[in-house]
Amino acid sequence: VTPSRLAQAVDSQHIFGQVSQELRAVEQSIRHITLPEVSLLAEALMSAVSTPGKLMRPSLVLLSGGATGTIQAAHIEAGAVAELIHLATLLHDDVLDDADLRRGQPTVKAAFGNQIAILSGDYLLAQASLKLSQLNNCRLVSIFSIVLGALCAGEVQQAVTAYNIEASWENYYKKSNGKTAALFAACCEAAAVINQLAEHEVQQHRLYGEKLGLAFQVIDDLLDYTAKQSDFGKPVLDDLKNGLLNAPALLALEYSPNRQGLQELIQRLWKAEGASEDLEALILDQFQSSHAFEKTKQLAENLIQEACDCLSPLPHSPYKTGLQDLAQYVLERSY
Ligand code: FPP
Ligand code: MG
């Protein structure tokens, strides 16, 4: 993908040109969910749905819809379901992480408190279920129900290994599959199911989403070190400080000439009393010298290549190109 094609493909909100109209329809569908009468909850929900995200998941459903057949009304609604589920997980996640800032704005947790944030998340899940039921397709209900379980399991998988300096790649892939890749995969699977593809084709397309989701997580991990807080809309170096050995940390430990020394530095960071800017700089130096950031980018590039390989059976179309561009965007996004 040439940079100019990429620039063309992605508009200012990182929305893909081929499906921009359909994305507006997804946004409409989300904005038109039934709001509760109780105004406190309605207000919290309005604030949750009105800060625009990247709309990665609906883009994935729509482009997959076009690439596997035709984009139907069900793709728009499935895109809205995916985004509603995503928004619900963020509302809950900000409670779990005690996070005050997201997308450059105060979180619902910060503005309305934990109780309203959790219940707003639940409410969005209820609205997502309602939309799903209206699609009259039990397979779609299964796909998204399985994702909800995977999201919970991924989050717990992450929690049980937090602050464990021996946390493994196996753990990393399990939690990343659950927290991130499962929903990406579901978006692709759902889109292909709506177009009634043969099961092996559905699974092949699902795999594109899964690999893309893993790459997305790996790049998210990288941005936790390299992005500016003002661009990223959330604090940086957050994962490591919160006890998470993300992809750059695992790679730094794997390739460090002094693994034990780096382990000790990270453990000092985890003891609040040891945290300081000097310590952070020392850790980042070690990451640099083990080329952890380059290796992280390489890992993401490999996953993106594997994702794009899954697209090869699909006939050529602007939507297939869009999926390739989306993969490239995941690799190159800076926030
Ligand atoms: C963001 O993680 C969080 C997720 C991708 C998933 C969170 C899942 C749950 C809270 C459990 C399931 C919830 C529902 C509603 C089914 P992060 O903290 O690594 O990323 P961040 O920096 O964007 O907060
Ligand atoms: Mg979080």
Side-chain angles (χ1 to χ4, degrees):
V1 181
T2 60
S4 65
R5 251 253 319 284
L6 185 65
Q8 258 180 8
V10 186
D11 77 14
S12 61
Q13 284 189 303
H14 301 290
I15 288 165
F16 281 72
Q18 298 95 317
V19 289
S20 56
Q21 240 177 317
E22 291 88 346
L23 277 173
R24 296 285 85 78
V26 169
E27 284 182 322
Q28 287 279 350
S29 170
I30 292 172
R31 254 186 256 115
H32 286 124
I33 57 169
T34 308
L35 288 175
E37 268 179 42
V38 55
S39 58
L40 182 58
L41 186 57
E43 241 181 87
L45 288 161
M46 290 295 284
S47 89
V49 300
S50 62
T51 313
K54 295 183 281 291
L55 296 177
M56 288 285 298
R57 293 149 191 86
S59 302
L60 202 49
V61 177
L62 296 169
L63 290 169
S64 294
T68 60
T70 51
I71 304 180
Q72 306 174 37
H75 288 110
I76 290 172
E77 287 301 280
V81 166
E83 189 65 13
L84 286 169
I85 291 175
H86 174 58
L87 286 169
T89 68
L90 297 184
L91 289 172
H92 286 186
D93 180 67
D94 289 336
V95 172
L96 294 175
D97 293 351
D98 199 17
D100 291 333
L101 197 64
R102 178 174 295 280
R103 296 172 178 171
Q105 300 288 327
T107 57
V108 171
K109 175 218 98 77
F112 296 84
N114 285 350
Q115 189 187 28
I116 295 296
I118 292 291
L119 293 167
S120 301
D122 292 345
Y123 192 93
L124 291 182
L125 289 181
Q127 292 298 313
S129 308
L130 185 61
K131 273 191 191 305
L132 256 182
S133 72
Q134 288 160 351
L135 292 176
N136 289 318
N137 184 333
C138 287
R139 173 76 186 269
L140 296 178
V141 178
S142 304
I143 291 170
F144 286 107
S145 304
I146 290 168
V147 163
L148 294 180
L151 281 159
C152 296
E155 189 64 29
V156 175
Q157 179 73 32
Q158 174 175 288
V160 295
T161 43
Y163 300 102
N164 177 355
I165 197 69
E166 303 293 345
S168 65
W169 278 108
E170 189 194 349
N171 165 68
Y172 177 81
Y173 280 114
K174 265 195 203 162
K175 79 91 192 157
S176 301
N177 263 312
K179 275 187 59 174
T180 313
L183 185 51
F184 278 63
C187 288
C188 293
E189 184 178 358
V193 163
I194 291 168
N195 277 329
Q196 299 183 308
L197 259 61
E199 190 56 29
H200 71 278
E201 295 169 322
V202 170
Q203 291 309 322
Q204 170 89 357
H205 194 61
R206 179 189 157 81
L207 199 55
Y208 160 82
E210 195 176 303
K211 300 281 180 189
L212 183 78
L214 283 175
F216 182 88
Q217 183 60 57
V218 168
I219 293 294
D220 214 59
D221 293 357
L222 184 60
L223 290 172
D224 197 49
Y225 300 88
T226 59
K228 286 201 224 81
Q229 175 164 337
S230 55
D231 292 340
F232 209 22
K234 53 190 184 186
V236 292
L237 219 80
D238 222 28
D239 289 344
L240 198 61
K241 286 184 197 160
N242 286 315
L244 304 181
L245 293 182
N246 57 16
L250 287 170
L251 285 162
L253 286 165
E254 191 173 337
Y255 290 96
S256 171
N258 178 8
R259 179 182 165 93
Q260 207 188 334
L262 181 55
Q263 281 184 329
E264 282 165 14
L265 287 178
I266 293 173
Q267 283 173 308
R268 270 174 54 199
L269 182 77
W270 288 348
K271 294 190 189 115
E273 70 270 22
S276 74
E277 278 180 24
D278 288 351
L279 181 59
E280 285 174 28
L282 269 176
I283 291 174
L284 289 179
D285 270 357
Q286 292 234 9
F287 274 48
Q288 299 277 11
S289 58
S290 40
H291 304 286
F293 301 128
E294 293 92 321
K295 286 182 198 301
T296 303
K297 189 77 192 265
Q298 188 60 55
L299 173 61
E301 278 168 10
N302 294 345
L303 287 163
I304 286 299
Q305 187 58 53
E306 287 171 32
C308 288
D309 289 347
C310 296
L311 298 175
S312 55
L314 293 177
H316 184 71
S317 73
Y319 299 105
K320 178 176 172 175
T321 309
L323 289 172
Q324 288 159 340
D325 288 347
L326 186 61
Q328 203 58 32
Y329 164 66
V330 160
L331 211 46
E332 298 187 357
R333 78 194 170 101
S334 55
Y335 65 94

